[in-house]
C-alpha cells in the first residue's frame, strides 16, 4: 500500500511540475487588456488621458475622470509624440529581471524530470530490483522463526537424512571431526526426480543446523549481460564468508552448471563465466572454511564434470521415489492436523500409490480434503482417499460426458481385454480396478498394482506386460470384428517397451547382449548429433526384432482371450451394467462366474460371441 501511494505521489509531482513549466513559459507573453489600442488612442485624441505608464508590452494609465485602464503596447513610433502633444504625463518601467536561479531551474527541471522518470520505469521493469546493485547476489537468508522445518517433518528419505545429518553435526560440533583430522564435504548435491523432496531436505537442514542459511536459484545468476553472473557469485560468497559457518543452498543448479562448450550453437558465455567463477570460489586458491554448499537438480547427467569432482560437490545423495514404507510415512506426515476417519488405512493407500513422489502424496491428501469438504462430510474417509489417488493419476471423473451404447460396449470390451490378461498373468501385479467411466482424457482404464515394490523386471514379466498392453486391441478385433483409435496409447507404450528390450536391455537373441543408442544423452549437449549410433543393417534388425516381439505378444494375447472367451464376455457385460468393478468383484467373476451381492442371475448375460459383433 505504501508503494502504491509513493508511486501516485511521484506521478502527481510530475504532472504539477509540467503544468508549472507550461504556465511559466507562457506567462508574460500575453498581457491582460481592458480596452483596445484604438479606444486608447481615441481617449488621447479627446484629451481624456491624464497619465500613462509604458512597460515592455503593455500600457497602463489614468483617465481624467479617475478611471484606470490597460492596453497592449504595439510598435507605434508616433505614440510618444502624440502623447506629448496632448500634454499627457508619461512614465516608463524597466522589464522585471528574472533571478539567475530561476533561469537555471527552468532549464534543468525538464532534464531532471526525464531522468527521474527513466529511473522509475527501469526499476519497475526489473521487478522492483535494485538498479544500482545490478551485480549483487539475490540470495535470501532463511528466517528460522518462520515455518521452521526439521528432519521430523521429512519422511521417506531416511538415507538422505542420515547423510545430511553429518553436515548438521559438523556445524554443531566441529571439534569432534577436527580432532580426527576429518574434513566435512564442501558440497552436497541432491539429485532425483521432481517432487521427491530435495528442497524440503535443504529446508530441514536449515532448521536443524542453527547457522545462517542462504538460498538462491541457479537462474538468479544468469543475466543477459556477460559478467553479471560471475559478479553475483563473488558477492554470494562474500556474504557467506562474513556469516561463516553457514550453508548456501542453490536450487536447480543445472541452470548454471551445465557442461561447458556443449550444444549445437557452441557455449553460452555468460553461463560459462558464471560456472567458472563458482568453480573457483568452491575450490580455488581462496579459503572458504565453514561454508557448505548444498545444491539440488533433476538432471545430474548434464552437469559439468569439474563441478562434481572431489573438493566441490564431493558428496552426491540420491533422493529417489519412496518405497511403500516411505509412502506410508509421508502420508502420515501430511495427514497430521486433518480429521481422518477410522476406516482410513494408510498402508493400503501406500500400496496403491506405487511410483508416487512426496509431492504427489501431499497432493493426494489435499485432494481428499477438498473432496470431503465438497461432500460436506466432517472427516476424511477411505472413499475420499481412493478417489483422490485416482484424481491425481488420471484426473477427475467425467460422469456428465455422453457416451453412446456402441462406444460404451467398445470401451467395456477393450478394458476387459486388459483386465482378463492381467488376471491371468497375476504373478507380479494384481488388477485393482477397471472402469468405463471417463476420467481425464481416458474413456476408461484398468488399474494394476504390483504385489510389492521392485527395482528390476525380468524378460518374462515384460513379455506378460506387452500382452496386457495389447489385450484391449485384441479384444476389439476378436469380439467386435473391428479396431478403434482407443488403443493408440497402449500401442505407443508397448512399442517403447519392446524397443527398450531390444536396444537397452539386451533381450534379443539376434543382437545379443549389446546396447544401441544412448537415450540419456540429449541433442542440446552436443554429444549425439554428429555420431552414427549404429549401421543401417543393425537398424533394420532392431526394427525386425521390435516387430517380432509385438507380433508374438499380440498372438499370445489373442490365444489367451480365445481360450477364456466366456470370462471375457462375462466381465465385459457385467462392466457395462456396473460401470466399475474392483479387484474383489473381478476375482468373484473369475472363480464363481457371478457377483455375490447379485447372485448367479448374472450368468445370463453370457451370449454367443457371434452375436456381439
Amino acid at each position: 500500500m505504501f508503494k502504491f501511494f509513493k508511486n501516485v505521489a511521484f506521478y502527481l509531482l510530475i504532472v504539477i511540475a509540467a503544468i508549472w513549466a507550461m504556465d511559466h513559459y507562457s506567462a508574460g507573453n500575453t498581457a491582460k487588456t481592458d480596452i483596445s489600442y484604438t479606444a486608447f488612442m481615441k481617449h488621447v485624441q479627446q484629451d481624456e488621458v491624464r497619465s500613462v505608464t509604458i512597460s515592455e508590452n503593455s500600457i497602463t494609465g489614468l483617465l481624467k475622470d479617475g478611471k484606470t485602464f490597460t492596453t497592449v503596447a504595439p510598435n507605434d513610433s508616433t505614440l510618444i509624440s502624440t502623447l506629448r502633444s496632448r500634454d499627457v504625463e508619461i512614465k516608463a518601467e524597466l522589464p522585471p529581471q528574472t533571478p539567475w536561479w530561476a533561469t537555471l531551474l527552468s532549464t534543468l527541471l525538464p532534464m531532471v524530470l526525464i531522468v527521474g522518470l527513466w529511473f522509475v520505469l527501469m526499476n519497475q521493469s526489473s521487478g522492483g530490483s535494485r538498479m544500482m546493485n545490478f551485480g549483487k547476489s539475490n540470495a535470501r537468508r532463511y528466517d528460522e522463526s518462520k515455518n521452521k522445518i526439521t528432519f521430523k517433518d521429512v519422511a521417506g528419505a531416511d538415507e538422505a537424512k542420515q547423510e545430511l545429518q553429518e553436515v548438521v553435526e559438523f556445524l554443531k560440533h566441529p571439534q569432534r571431526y577436527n580432532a580426527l583430522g576429518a574434513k566435512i564435504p564442501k558440497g552436497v548435491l541432491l539429485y532425483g526426480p521432481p517432487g521427491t523432496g530435495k528442497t524440503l531436505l535443504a529446508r530441514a537442514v536449515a532448521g536443524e543446523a542453527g547457522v545462517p542459511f542462504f538460498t538462491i536459484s541457479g537462474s538468479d545468476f544468469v543475466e543477459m549481460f556477460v559478467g553479471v553472473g560471475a559478479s553475483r557469485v563473488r558477492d554470494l560468497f562474500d556474504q557467506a564468508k562474513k556469516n561463516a559457518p553457514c550453508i548456501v543452498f542453490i536450487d536447480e543448479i543445472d541452470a548454471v552448471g551445465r557442461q561447458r562448450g556443449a550444444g549445437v550453437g557452441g557455449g553460452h558465455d555468460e553461463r560459462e563465466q558464471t560456472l567458472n567463477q563458482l568453480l573457483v570460489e568452491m575450490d580455488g586458491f581462496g579459503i572458504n572454511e565453514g561454508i557448505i554448499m548444498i545444491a539440488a537438480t533433476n538432471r545430474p547427467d548434464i552437469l559439468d564434470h569439474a563441478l562434481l569432482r572431489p573438493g566441490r560437490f564431493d558428496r552426491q545423495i540420491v533422493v529417489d521415489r519412496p518405497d511403500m514404507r516411505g509412502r506410508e510415512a509421508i502420508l502420515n506426515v501430511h495427514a497430521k492436523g486433518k480429521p481422518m476417519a477410522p476406516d482410513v488405512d494408510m498402508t493400503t493407500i501406500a500400496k496403491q500409490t506405487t511410483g508416487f513422489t512426496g509431492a504427489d502424496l501431499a497432493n493426494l491428501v489435499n485432494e481428499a480434503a477438498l473432496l470431503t469438504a465438497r461432500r460436506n462430510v466432517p472427516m476424511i474417509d477411505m472413499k475420499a482417499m481412493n478417489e483422490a489417488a485416482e484424481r491425481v493419476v488420471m484426473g477427475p471423473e467425467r460422469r456428465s460426458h455422453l457416451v453412446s451404447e456402441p462406444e460404451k460396449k467398445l470401451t467395456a470390451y477393450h478394458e476387459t481385454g486388459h483386465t482378463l490378461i492381467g488376471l491371468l498373468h497375476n504373478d507380479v501385479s494384481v488388477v485393482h480396478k477397471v472402469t468405463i467411466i471417463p476420467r481425464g482424457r481416458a474413456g476408461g482404464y484398468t488399474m494394476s498394482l504390483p504385489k510389492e515394490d521392485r527395482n528390476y523386471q525380468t524378460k518374462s514379466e515384460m513379455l506378460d506386460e506387452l500382452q496386457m498392453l495389447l489385450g484391449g486391441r485384441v479384444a476389439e478385433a476378436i469380439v467386435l470384428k473391428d479396431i478403434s483409435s482407443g488403443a493408440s496409447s497402449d500401442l505407443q507404450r508397448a512399442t517403447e517397451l519392446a524397443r527398450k528390450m531390444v536396444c537397452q536391455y539386451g533381450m534379443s537373441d539376434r543382437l545379443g547382449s549389446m546396447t544401441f543408442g544412448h537415450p540419456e544423452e540429449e541433442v542440446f549437449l552436443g554429444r549425439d548429433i554428429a555420431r552414427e549410433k549404429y549401421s543401417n543393417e543393425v537398424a533394420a534388425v532392431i526394427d525386425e526384432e521390435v516387430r517380432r516381439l509385438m507380433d508374438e505378444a499380440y498372438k499370445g494375447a489373442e490365444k489367451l482371450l480365445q481360450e477364456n472367451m466366456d470370462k471375457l464376455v462375462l466381465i465385459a457385460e457385467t462392466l457395462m451394467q456396473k460401470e466399475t468393478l474392483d479387484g474383489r468383484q473381478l476375482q468373484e467373476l473369475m472363480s464363481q462366474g457371478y457377483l455375490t451381492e447379485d447372485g448367479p442371475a448374472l450368468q445370463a448375460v453370457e451370449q454367443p460371441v457371434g452375436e456381439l459383433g
Side-chain angles (χ1 to χ4, degrees):
M1 185 63 69
F2 174 76
K3 186 177 180 180
F4 170 77
F5 285 111
K6 179 181 177 182
N7 290 337
V8 170
F10 181 79
Y11 289 120
L12 185 61
L13 179 63
I14 292 177
V15 172
I16 294 174
I19 295 175
W20 173 84
M22 294 175 60
D23 183 70
H24 173 77
Y25 282 113
S26 61
N29 292 333
T30 303
K32 297 180 180 179
T33 59
D34 291 333
I35 61 176
S36 64
Y37 186 73
T38 302
F40 164 66
M41 293 304 297
K42 185 176 181 180
H43 285 301
V44 172
Q45 295 294 338
Q46 295 176 356
D47 295 329
E48 297 176 354
V49 179
R50 176 176 299 174
S51 64
V52 294
T53 301
I54 302 175
S55 62
E56 184 179 11
N57 57 359
S58 66
I59 300 174
T60 59
L62 178 66
L63 299 178
K64 292 181 179 180
D65 58 4
K67 295 180 180 180
T68 59
F69 64 90
T70 303
T71 186
V72 177
N75 187 14
D76 187 356
S77 58
T78 62
L79 175 62
I80 301 299
S81 58
T82 304
L83 292 175
R84 286 178 176 177
S85 65
R86 297 298 179 179
D87 198 19
V88 177
E89 183 180 359
I90 302 173
K91 299 178 182 178
E93 288 185 356
L94 294 174
Q97 297 293 324
T98 304
W100 65 269
W101 56 265
T103 304
L104 182 63
L105 180 63
S106 63
T107 304
L108 295 180
L109 184 61
M111 298 175 60
V112 172
L113 290 176
I114 292 173
V115 173
L117 182 61
W118 181 79
F119 267 89
V120 170
L121 294 177
M122 289 298 294
N123 260 336
Q124 291 183 352
S125 64
S126 60
S129 62
R130 301 158 304 192
M131 276 196 58
M132 302 308 295
N133 297 331
F134 199 62
K136 296 292 184 180
S137 168
N138 295 327
R140 299 179 299 275
R141 183 165 178 172
Y142 182 76
D143 189 357
E144 298 180 359
S145 62
K146 297 180 180 179
N147 194 20
K148 183 177 180 180
I149 294 177
T150 63
F151 284 143
K152 295 180 180 179
D153 302 311
V154 182
D158 296 336
E159 292 79 7
K161 286 164 58 175
Q162 184 177 359
E163 293 286 337
L164 292 171
Q165 187 67 42
E166 289 188 5
V167 176
V168 175
E169 289 296 325
F170 175 80
L171 292 170
K172 288 184 175 180
H173 310 290
Q175 63 277 2
R176 183 191 309 172
Y177 296 87
N178 293 333
L180 298 174
K183 295 183 179 180
I184 199 70
K186 291 186 178 181
V188 178
L189 178 66
L190 305 174
Y191 67 90
T196 51
K198 298 181 292 295
T199 305
L200 183 65
L201 280 168
R203 294 179 63 184
V205 172
E208 292 278 352
V211 297
F213 185 91
F214 296 92
T215 175
I216 191 172
S217 173
S219 60
D220 288 336
F221 291 111
V222 182
E223 280 285 352
M224 62 181 294
F225 304 110
V226 177
V228 175
S231 174
R232 291 179 176 176
V233 171
R234 288 190 293 270
D235 182 71
L236 172 63
F237 277 86
D238 287 341
Q239 293 183 50
K241 290 174 185 177
K242 294 176 183 177
N243 293 275
C246 67
I247 298 175
V248 177
F249 174 62
I250 303 179
D251 199 6
E252 304 296 347
I253 194 173
D254 50 278
V256 68
R258 285 182 182 173
Q259 290 190 16
R260 292 165 290 183
V264 178
H268 186 290
D269 289 339
E270 164 61 3
R271 180 176 54 78
E272 293 187 3
Q273 286 199 21
T274 305
L275 175 58
N276 291 336
Q277 187 64 42
L278 181 62
L279 295 175
V280 171
E281 293 288 348
M282 290 189 67
D283 190 20
F285 282 102
I287 300 177
N288 292 326
E289 295 293 339
I291 301 177
I292 297 178
M293 300 289 297
I294 300 179
T297 181
N298 305 326
R299 297 293 308 276
D301 54 306
I302 68 174
L303 295 180
D304 195 272
H305 297 299
L307 197 63
L308 303 178
R309 72 160 175 81
R312 291 188 178 122
F313 286 107
D314 41 16
R315 177 168 294 187
Q316 300 172 23
I317 302 175
V318 180
V319 187
D320 209 347
R321 290 182 171 88
D323 56 11
M324 191 190 74
R325 289 181 299 175
R327 293 194 297 272
E328 184 177 356
I330 293 173
L331 288 169
N332 288 326
V333 168
H334 292 294
K336 287 181 180 178
K338 295 181 175 63
M340 309 301 293
D343 66 335
V344 174
D345 186 1
M346 291 301 184
T347 303
T348 302
I349 299 297
K351 290 180 180 179
Q352 297 176 6
T353 52
T354 301
F356 275 40
T357 64
D360 294 329
L361 295 171
N363 189 26
L364 186 153
V365 177
N366 184 62
E367 284 289 341
L370 294 175
L371 290 171
T372 303
R374 190 179 306 166
R375 289 159 44 197
N376 198 20
V377 178
M379 302 183 73
I380 302 174
D381 55 15
M382 194 65 177
K383 180 181 177 181
M385 294 292 288
N386 287 327
E387 173 67 15
E390 295 184 32
R391 285 176 66 93
V392 171
V393 177
M394 302 293 297
E397 284 187 347
R398 295 185 293 149
R399 289 187 174 272
S400 61
H401 182 67
L402 296 177
V403 181
S404 62
E405 283 300 319
E407 186 175 349
K408 185 176 182 180
K409 183 177 181 179
L410 171 67
T411 305
Y413 275 95
H414 180 99
E415 298 302 331
T416 302
H418 294 307
T419 301
L420 184 55
I421 294 181
L423 292 170
L424 295 174
H425 292 308
N426 62 351
D427 52 339
V428 177
S429 60
V430 178
V431 178
H432 175 70
K433 179 181 179 181
V434 59
T435 180
I436 58 174
I437 299 175
R439 182 183 287 273
R441 299 178 63 183
Y445 62 94
T446 301
M447 181 183 294
S448 297
L449 301 176
K451 292 183 178 180
E452 58 184 6
D453 288 341
R454 303 186 59 174
N455 296 321
Y456 304 102
Q457 196 175 10
T458 64
K459 181 179 180 181
S460 60
E461 293 167 359
M462 292 182 186
L463 293 176
D464 291 345
E465 185 178 351
L466 279 178
Q467 289 187 9
M468 186 175 178
L469 288 170
L470 297 177
R473 167 57 65 87
V474 175
E476 293 178 13
I478 293 177
V479 180
L480 304 178
K481 309 302 182 185
D482 200 359
I483 57 177
S484 70
S485 61
S488 59
S489 177
D490 301 329
L491 296 175
Q492 180 181 359
R493 292 171 57 192
T495 305
E496 289 177 357
L497 177 58
R499 187 167 293 277
K500 286 182 178 180
M501 293 175 65
V502 174
C503 295
Q504 296 183 39
Y505 307 145
M507 295 181 178
S508 170
D509 295 334
R510 293 181 61 184
L511 294 172
S513 301
M514 296 177 62
T515 62
F516 301 91
H518 303 276
E520 75 279 358
E521 296 183 358
E522 304 292 342
V523 172
F524 74 87
L525 289 177
R527 294 173 178 170
D528 291 351
I529 196 168
R531 185 173 65 187
E532 186 78 16
K533 297 179 183 178
Y534 37 76
S535 64
N536 293 332
E537 291 78 8
V538 173
V541 175
I542 291 175
D543 292 338
E544 292 173 4
E545 286 294 283
V546 172
R547 176 65 180 269
R548 180 184 61 82
L549 290 174
M550 294 287 289
D551 290 343
E552 290 178 357
Y554 190 94
K555 292 177 181 178
E558 188 176 32
K559 181 181 178 182
L560 285 175
L561 295 183
Q562 291 282 11
E563 293 174 351
N564 297 273
M565 183 59 65
D566 55 339
K567 294 183 175 61
L568 176 66
V569 176
L570 175 63
I571 296 175
E573 295 296 328
T574 307
L575 187 58
M576 291 183 66
Q577 295 181 23
K578 298 287 187 179
E579 292 189 332
T580 300
L581 296 173
D582 58 24
R584 179 189 59 81
Q585 293 173 317
L586 290 170
Q587 290 298 331
E588 289 181 358
L589 290 174
M590 290 291 290
S591 60
Q592 61 192 27
Y594 60 89
L595 298 179
T596 302
E597 63 266 24
D598 295 332
L602 266 177
Q603 289 181 333
V605 301
E606 295 187 22
Q607 302 179 25
V609 177
E611 297 181 7
L612 295 175

